[in-house]
């Protein structure tokens, strides 16, 4: 009996009485196999759709469930993944993956005929799963109150998820045997890969059964497979299998299948085997503790694949593979102390990915992502970058409105970049013969990830004459989508830069010094072998440290793109003050993204508005310290900020960033007559700042936070304000005799620290409690000061004495 069976009745009851249910069940409980099959058999649901985040898991689960019914895939159990759809009118349980469910909801927001949505392995938090769940929750709330949603996972942040979904939580025990944990400390973390093979040898020697080795990616899998060959020569009954997402199906099935009797296998895998897969015969896990994570670089617009440490939750998932059939062992690379310092959960994709696809989906859905029910909300920087990319791809306009091309791109069901490239290539086919097929070649190269020359024209030409099967499969798929033949005598490589620009307009690069600057403003390094004399590159792939290494590109000339893709270019009249030449540059410029393609003296006159904008640009770059009077107005700025802090309903915020953002309002009128840099530096900054406050507010500021305070002697003493802590009043001690309390400002919200000075203006005492000082340590000060300054008044009772700013002889 599977553990999930024990909670099945409870789960069904909750689904009957609640719209959404949360299920936590560890590996081996039967949540991905037994549960959906028996929910289908229960007869309560006309059609069930289950989302699996990984294609390999989706295909294997679907095939297994179909076999349990003695049926072929596509009958009662269906599968819908990219390039593989097996469903029919008989299908009642459909396994889908990646963005398939999102497309289904977009095409039919009511999800006609579907009664139950299941989100399996939700803890993986793929961007596609987060998007689909958000749309499903909106469908449920607005259109289908009878739609049931079941969210389930092996390792959930249960309390947080339950709060977000506002639903009951059901927990199922797993069917896992005890797992012994062995920690293998690493002396040099940078050499971790070299220490994996000795650990595998140790496991082979100490334990029986087959071994599952978790590695970050294919590169590490190849290294370990080669390093193990010598070991296997002496172990004829041990063989190696590899398992990763890009493999063909036969190799994947071979890795999953049980070994022949009396033989053992070592399966080298990525994190595709963490969940929803059962690999026969495994009772030992060797965990490198590493995974390949896609980290989006906002500066370059590049998704970098980095090798990072896994979370504790992922480590538990991996270890669970060893206890599925009998007691097992996990060998963890690294000390136990290092393991316990890992993050509890992996960072969700939505916080570390390019979210242009999510924004496009939300635009088509008819909402902003800020209004979607998302467990985590992307950052403002992510949203800004993604929206700019969608503008460059003609999916939305500068106001954020969805364009017709954007709707068609979303319907393509691929990344916005590639959808734009293929649709625009088709539109340009009549003008540029062969560009659609060239775009399909480029798509196939991106999807198949075959290793080729960095120069794209060489790479595609090689693939045209001698293509591996993985590339040909992708090429046929995209040619079918474009409704063209994949066969041709010659590729139209003269259009290659246009194809790249259609997908990567932000990666059009212009030489700058020893490197290049991208259209998005980021700098990248020059290639060590290719494009040494090129001035312009259309870059397809970037990576390496900080995403600044060019992996593949092709040379182009801007005139070619300007003639075919004019929307990429923007003409601006710009006025800038060149500080080196001490003169204005007033130019008509053509921009490609953020870099200047060409510039010439402007034909329009240099007017006051253009000159003012030039000064504003300099101030934004340098800050308010560009003004000579900045030091003189620092106290005014602090007073204005304190006023806004303590009286926000009366005074505007006045931080430097606020002032810089609002320059065109308060400072621009003072810049109209400024024609030289020296004039700018000498500008009356205090008067300009005060214009942010009307006359009444200026009077209130002087009342609440005065520049000077009158003390008992009659003197007006300057107050020194600070943003944190009390204001400071430095005053001669004789001038505050008879004063028992330190003053407070801003209606008691700002206290004052008294700095009592000697006749020579040297500090004697810091206090905020004058009464206590007069009664205590004043006696010691009096004794010392009488001898040093005998001409000055040092009374025995300063609390009642008359304050003075004169010597005794003149009192």
């Amino acid at each position: 009996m599977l553990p999930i069976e024990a909670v099945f009745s409870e789960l069904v009851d909750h689904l009957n009485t609640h719209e959404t249910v949360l299920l936590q069940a560890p590996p081996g409980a039967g949540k991905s196999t037994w549960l959906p099959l028996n929910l289908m058999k229960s007869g309560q649901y006309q059609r069930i759709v289950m989302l699996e985040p990984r294609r390999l898991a989706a295909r294997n689960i679907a095939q297994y469930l179909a076999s349990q019914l003695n049926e072929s895939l596509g009958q009662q159990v269906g599968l819908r993944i990219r390039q593989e759809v097996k469903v029919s009118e008989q299908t009642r349980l459909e396994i889908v993956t990646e963005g398939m469910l999102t497309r289904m909801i977009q095409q039919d927001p009511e999800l006609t005929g579907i009664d139950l949505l299941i989100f399996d392995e939700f803890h993986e938090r793929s961007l596609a799963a987060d998007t689909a769940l958000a749309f499903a929750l909106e469908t449920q709330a607005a259109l289908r109150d009878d739609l049931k949603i079941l969210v389930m996972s092996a390792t959930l942040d249960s309390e947080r998820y339950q709060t977000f979904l506002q639903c009951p939580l059901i927990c199922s025990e797993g069917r896992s045997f005890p797992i012994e944990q062995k920690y293998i400390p690493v002396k040099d973390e940078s050499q971790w890969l070299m220490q994996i093979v000795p650990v595998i040898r140790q496991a082979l020697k100490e334990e029986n059964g087959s071994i599952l080795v978790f590695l970050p990616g294919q590169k590490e899998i190849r290294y370990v497979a080669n390093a193990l060959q010598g070991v296997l020569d002496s172990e004829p009954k041990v063989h190696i299998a590899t398992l990763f997402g890009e493999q063909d199906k036969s190799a994947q099935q071979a890795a999953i299948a049980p070994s022949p009797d009396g033989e053992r296998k070592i399966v080298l895998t990525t994190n595709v085997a963490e969940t929803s897969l059962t690999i026969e015969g495994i009772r030992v896990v060797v965990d490198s503790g590493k995974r390949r994570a896609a980290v989006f670089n906002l500066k370059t617009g590049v998704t970098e694949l980095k090798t990072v440490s896994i979370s504790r939750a992922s480590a538990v998932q991996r270890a669970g593979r060893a206890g599925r059939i009998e007691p097992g062992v996990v060998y963890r690379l690294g000390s136990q102390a290092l393991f316990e310092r890992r993050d509890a959960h992996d960072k969700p994709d939505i916080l570390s990915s390019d979210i242009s696809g999510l924004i496009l989906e939300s635009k088509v859905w008819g909402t902003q992502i800020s209004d979607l029910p998302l467990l985590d909300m992307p950052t403002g920087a992510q949203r800004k970058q993604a929206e700019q990319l969608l503008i460059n791809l003609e999916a939305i306009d500068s106001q954020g409105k969805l364009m017709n091309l954007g709707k068609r791109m979303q319907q393509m069901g691929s990344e916005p970049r590639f959808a734009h490239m293929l649709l625009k290539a088709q539109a340009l086919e009549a003008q540029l013969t062969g560009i659609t097929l060239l775009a399909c070649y480029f798509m196939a190269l991106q999807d198949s990830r075959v290793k080729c020359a960095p120069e794209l024209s060489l790479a595609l030409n090689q693939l045209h004459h001698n293509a591996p099967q993985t590339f040909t499969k992708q090429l046929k798929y995209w040619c079918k989508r474009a409704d063209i033949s994949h066969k041709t005598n010659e590729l139209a490589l003269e259009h290659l830069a246009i194809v790249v620009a259609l997908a990567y307009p932000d990666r059009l690069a212009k030489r700058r010094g020893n490197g290049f600057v991208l259209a998005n403003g980021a700098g990248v390094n020059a290639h060590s072998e290719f494009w040494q004399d090129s001035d312009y590159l259309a870059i397809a792939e970037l990576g390496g440290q900080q995403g600044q290494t060019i992996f593949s590109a092709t040379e182009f000339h801007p005139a070619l793109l300007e003639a075919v893709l004019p929307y990429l270019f923007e003409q601006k009249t710009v006025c800038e003050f060149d500080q080196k030449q001490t003169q204005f540059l007033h130019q008509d410029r053509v921009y490609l993204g953020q870099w200047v393609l060409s510039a010439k003296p402007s034909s329009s006159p240099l007017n006051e508005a253009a000159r003012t904008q030039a000064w504003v640009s300099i101030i934004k770059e340098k800050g308010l310290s560009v003004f000579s009077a900045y030091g003189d107005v620092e106290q005014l700025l602090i007073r204005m900020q304190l006023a806004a802090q303590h009286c926000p309903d009366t005074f505007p915020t006045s931080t430097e960033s606020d002032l810089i953002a609002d320059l065109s309002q308060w400072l621009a009128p003072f810049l109209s007559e400024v024609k030289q840099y020296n004039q700018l530096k000498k500008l009356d900054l205090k008067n300009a700042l005060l214009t942010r406050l009307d006359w009444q507010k200026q009077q209130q500021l002087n009342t609440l936070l005065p520049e000077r305070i009158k003390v008992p002697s009659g003197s007006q003493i300057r107050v020194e304000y600070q943003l944190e802590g009390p204001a400071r009043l430095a005053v001669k001690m004789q001038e505050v005799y008879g004063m028992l309390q330190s003053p407070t400002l801003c209606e008691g919200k700002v206290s004052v620290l008294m700095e009592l000075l000697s006749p020579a203006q040297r500090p004697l005492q810091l206090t905020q409690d004058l009464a206590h000082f007069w009664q205590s340590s004043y006696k010691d000060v009096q004794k010392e000061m009488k001898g040093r300054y005998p001409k000055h008044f040092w009374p025995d009772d300063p609390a009642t004495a008359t304050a003075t700013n004169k010597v005794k002889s003149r009192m």
Side-chain angles (χ1 to χ4, degrees):
M1 178 176 172
L2 288 167
I4 200 69
E5 296 180 53
V7 299
F8 184 68
S9 296
E10 181 187 3
L11 176 62
V12 170
D13 289 343
H14 278 304
L15 283 172
N16 287 335
T17 56
H18 295 82
E19 295 177 341
T20 305
V21 175
L22 187 61
L23 171 65
Q24 181 174 346
K31 69 180 184 304
S32 303
T33 51
W34 187 93
L35 177 59
L37 198 60
N38 280 273
L39 286 170
M40 183 192 79
K41 289 179 178 178
S42 71
Q44 289 185 261
Y45 305 102
Q46 181 181 349
R47 191 179 181 99
I48 301 170
V49 173
M50 182 165 78
L51 175 66
E52 282 291 333
R54 298 181 186 277
R55 280 180 286 177
L56 176 58
R59 184 184 294 113
N60 279 279
I61 287 171
Q63 290 173 341
Y64 173 79
L65 294 177
S67 70
Q68 295 298 294
L69 298 173
N70 294 315
E71 294 179 352
S72 60
L73 190 58
Q75 292 181 273
Q76 288 192 80
V77 177
L79 174 67
R80 192 185 299 268
I81 63 178
R82 184 180 169 186
Q83 300 188 29
E84 190 173 352
V85 178
K86 294 183 178 179
V87 295
S88 67
E89 292 183 357
Q90 296 174 263
T91 302
R92 296 177 56 214
L93 171 59
E94 190 172 330
I95 314 301
V96 304
T97 190
E98 295 183 339
M100 291 297 178
L101 180 54
T102 302
R103 291 175 65 189
M104 291 169 69
I105 300 174
Q106 289 275 28
Q107 291 168 3
D108 178 14
E110 293 188 11
L111 291 176
T112 307
I114 297 172
D115 307 298
L116 173 63
L117 295 179
I118 302 175
F119 290 81
D120 194 18
E121 308 298 356
F122 190 70
H123 71 276
E124 293 196 11
R125 297 293 308 283
S126 70
L127 185 56
D130 273 7
T131 305
L133 178 60
F135 288 171
L137 289 171
E138 291 222 325
T139 288
Q140 186 186 64
L143 302 172
R144 286 282 309 280
D145 57 3
D146 63 326
L147 178 67
K148 305 296 183 179
I149 297 176
L150 174 60
V151 178
M152 57 189 197
S153 175
T155 54
L156 279 176
D157 188 354
S158 304
E159 185 176 341
R160 180 169 180 245
Y161 287 18
Q162 190 177 9
T163 300
F164 169 69
L165 293 169
Q166 291 292 295
C167 69
L169 169 66
I170 298 173
C171 294
S172 169
E173 297 297 327
R175 190 180 65 172
S176 180
F177 291 89
I179 299 171
E180 181 185 356
Q181 301 179 61
K182 296 185 178 182
Y183 294 90
I184 313 297
V186 176
K187 292 182 180 179
D188 184 354
E189 177 68 17
S190 67
Q191 302 297 314
W192 67 268
L193 182 58
M194 296 180 182
Q195 299 183 57
I196 282 285
V197 174
V199 177
I200 298 173
R201 289 174 177 168
Q202 180 183 344
L204 272 172
K205 183 178 179 181
E206 295 177 350
E207 302 294 334
N208 53 33
S210 292
I211 301 173
L212 182 63
V213 183
F214 282 101
L215 296 162
Q218 295 180 45
K219 177 182 176 182
E220 292 81 5
I221 286 175
R222 287 193 296 269
Y223 171 85
V224 173
N226 291 333
L228 283 173
Q229 288 305 319
V231 177
L232 301 187
D233 290 341
S234 59
E235 298 280 353
K237 292 190 176 182
V238 177
H239 64 274
I240 294 176
T242 60
L243 181 63
F244 48 89
E246 288 74 27
Q247 273 179 313
D248 60 72
K249 287 188 282 187
S250 59
Q252 291 175 345
Q253 294 305 316
I256 294 170
S259 296
D261 289 343
E263 294 188 12
R264 305 169 70 186
K265 66 179 174 180
I266 301 172
V267 180
L268 308 177
T269 186
T270 62
N271 57 1
V272 298
E274 265 187 33
T275 55
S276 298
L277 273 181
T278 298
I279 302 176
E280 300 291 342
I282 297 296
R283 66 167 301 274
V284 180
V285 166
V286 175
D287 186 5
S288 68
K290 306 291 182 183
R291 70 181 178 99
R292 199 84 82 227
V295 180
F296 187 63
N297 186 320
L298 285 169
K299 182 179 179 182
T300 59
V302 174
T303 297
E304 306 167 43
L305 288 176
K306 293 187 176 181
T307 301
V308 299
S309 295
I310 61 173
S311 65
R312 295 196 304 274
S314 290
V316 171
Q317 286 281 93
R318 291 181 175 187
R321 304 286 103 185
R324 298 293 292 271
I325 54 175
E326 59 181 302
V329 180
V330 58
Y331 290 79
R332 289 198 174 106
L333 200 64
S335 67
Q336 184 172 357
L338 188 65
F339 171 80
E340 291 172 352
R341 287 200 297 269
R342 290 178 184 167
D343 293 336
H345 299 276
D346 292 327
K347 190 175 183 180
D349 285 354
I350 199 168
L351 297 180
S352 58
S353 301
D354 171 12
I355 61 165
S356 56
L358 170 58
I359 290 182
L360 181 57
E361 292 286 357
S362 68
K363 296 286 185 185
V364 174
W365 187 246
T367 189
Q368 304 293 326
I369 61 171
S370 56
D371 296 325
L372 286 174
L374 293 166
L375 186 60
D376 293 283
M377 195 60 65
T379 65
Q382 281 179 286
R383 292 163 64 177
K384 182 179 179 181
Q385 190 278 338
E387 287 167 355
Q388 184 57 56
L389 175 59
L390 291 175
I391 291 171
N392 292 345
L393 295 176
E394 306 173 281
I396 62 175
D397 64 18
S398 58
Q399 305 303 312
K401 181 182 177 182
L402 181 67
M403 307 291 282
N404 287 332
L405 182 58
K407 293 179 184 178
R408 295 174 59 208
M409 287 165 57
Q410 183 274 334
Q411 292 166 359
M412 285 284 292
S414 61
E415 287 186 43
R417 290 182 184 275
F418 298 143
H420 177 261
M421 178 188 69
L422 198 55
L423 289 170
K424 289 287 287 189
Q426 288 176 306
L428 290 167
E429 182 66 31
Q431 178 183 352
L432 306 172
T433 304
I435 192 172
T436 306
L437 179 58
L438 187 65
C440 291
Y441 261 79
F442 183 68
M443 287 281 282
L445 175 60
Q446 299 295 303
D447 278 351
S448 61
R449 301 180 187 177
V450 294
K451 193 171 183 180
C452 287
E455 170 52 56
L456 280 170
S457 59
L458 293 176
L460 294 181
N461 194 48
Q462 290 167 359
L463 290 168
H464 174 56
H465 292 99
N466 185 23
Q469 185 178 357
T470 52
F471 175 84
T472 302
K473 179 183 176 182
Q474 296 295 335
L475 176 63
K476 288 180 178 178
Y477 170 77
W478 285 109
C479 286
K480 184 178 179 181
R481 292 287 304 273
D483 195 25
I484 59 172
S485 170
H486 69 282
K487 297 179 181 179
T488 184
N489 293 327
E490 189 174 351
L491 288 175
L493 291 172
E494 66 273 18
H495 306 322
L496 183 54
I498 298 172
V499 167
V500 177
L502 289 172
Y504 297 105
D506 50 334
R507 298 185 195 173
L508 297 172
K510 176 183 180 182
R511 182 168 290 281
R512 182 177 67 182
N514 294 324
F516 290 86
V517 58
L518 303 179
N520 64 16
V524 296
N525 302 321
H527 196 278
S528 58
E529 298 178 35
F530 289 83
W531 315 296
Q532 296 297 309
D533 299 321
S534 300
D535 291 324
Y536 300 96
L537 289 182
I539 301 174
E541 189 176 0
L542 285 165
Q545 188 172 10
Q546 298 181 331
Q548 294 181 329
T549 301
I550 302 173
F551 289 156
S552 66
T554 194
E555 189 177 15
F556 77 96
H557 194 281
L560 172 69
L561 296 186
E562 198 168 6
V564 181
L565 308 176
Y567 66 90
L568 291 177
F569 299 81
E570 184 179 10
Q571 295 186 359
K572 294 181 183 178
T573 298
V574 177
C575 179
E576 294 177 350
F577 187 81
D578 189 320
Q579 294 180 58
K580 290 183 179 178
Q581 300 182 37
T582 64
Q583 65 180 13
F584 283 100
L585 294 178
H586 189 219
Q587 298 177 327
D588 292 332
R589 294 178 182 175
V590 176
Y591 283 84
L592 200 165
Q594 293 188 31
W595 50 259
V596 178
L597 176 62
S598 63
K600 61 181 180 180
S602 178
S603 56
S604 60
L606 176 58
N607 56 32
E608 180 183 298
R611 197 170 56 231
T612 297
Q613 189 55 49
W615 293 131
V616 167
S617 297
I618 284 183
I619 298 165
K620 284 183 176 180
E621 177 188 346
K622 293 181 172 293
L624 297 180
S625 58
V626 71
F627 299 105
S628 302
Y630 180 70
D632 299 330
V633 301
E634 278 189 292
Q635 280 294 299
L636 173 59
L637 283 170
I638 293 174
R639 290 167 62 214
M640 292 171 71
Q641 288 180 60
L642 288 172
Q645 178 183 329
H646 295 296
C647 306
D649 295 335
T650 303
F651 294 91
T653 55
S654 299
T655 64
E656 181 160 352
S657 59
D658 292 323
L659 295 170
I660 293 293
D662 200 30
L663 284 172
S664 59
Q665 295 298 316
W666 66 274
L667 189 60
F670 291 83
L671 298 172
S672 60
E673 298 301 320
V674 176
K675 297 180 181 179
Q676 297 296 329
Y677 191 60
N678 282 340
Q679 282 182 275
L680 177 72
K681 294 179 69 175
K682 294 176 181 179
L683 186 136
D684 186 352
L685 184 58
K686 180 178 180 179
N687 191 32
L689 285 169
L690 286 173
T691 61
R692 298 189 81 236
L693 307 176
D694 59 29
W695 184 86
Q696 185 178 1
K697 285 188 175 63
Q698 290 183 35
Q699 299 309 304
Q700 284 180 278
L701 178 67
N702 291 331
T703 300
L704 294 170
L705 298 163
E707 290 185 74
R708 295 177 178 273
I709 292 177
K710 187 176 181 179
V711 294
S713 68
S715 298
Q716 296 280 347
I717 306 298
R718 186 179 182 85
V719 184
E720 184 179 343
Y721 291 91
Q722 52 188 0
L723 290 175
E724 300 292 335
R728 201 179 185 104
L729 189 71
V731 58
K732 290 181 182 179
M733 188 177 291
Q734 284 80 11
E735 298 205 49
V736 292
Y737 290 155
M739 191 174 181
L740 299 180
Q741 292 182 340
S742 298
T744 58
L745 304 169
C746 201
E747 299 176 341
K749 296 170 184 174
V750 176
S751 58
V752 176
L753 178 67
M754 305 285 289
E755 183 178 21
L756 304 181
L757 307 175
S758 72
Q761 303 282 353
R762 293 192 176 92
L764 295 176
Q765 181 72 31
L766 288 173
T767 183
Q768 287 182 268
D769 188 349
L770 278 170
H772 177 72
F773 169 65
W774 298 140
Q775 294 172 6
S776 56
S777 52
Y778 169 76
K779 295 294 183 185
D780 296 329
V781 173
Q782 179 195 37
K783 183 178 180 181
E784 182 181 351
M785 291 296 104
K786 266 188 173 182
R788 185 174 298 180
Y789 301 101
K791 295 181 180 180
H792 290 79
F793 183 39
W794 303 102
D796 293 331
D797 186 7
T800 60
T802 301
T804 181
N805 55 14
K806 301 176 182 178
V807 295
K808 287 189 292 184
S809 61
R810 295 184 179 180
M811 287 176 62

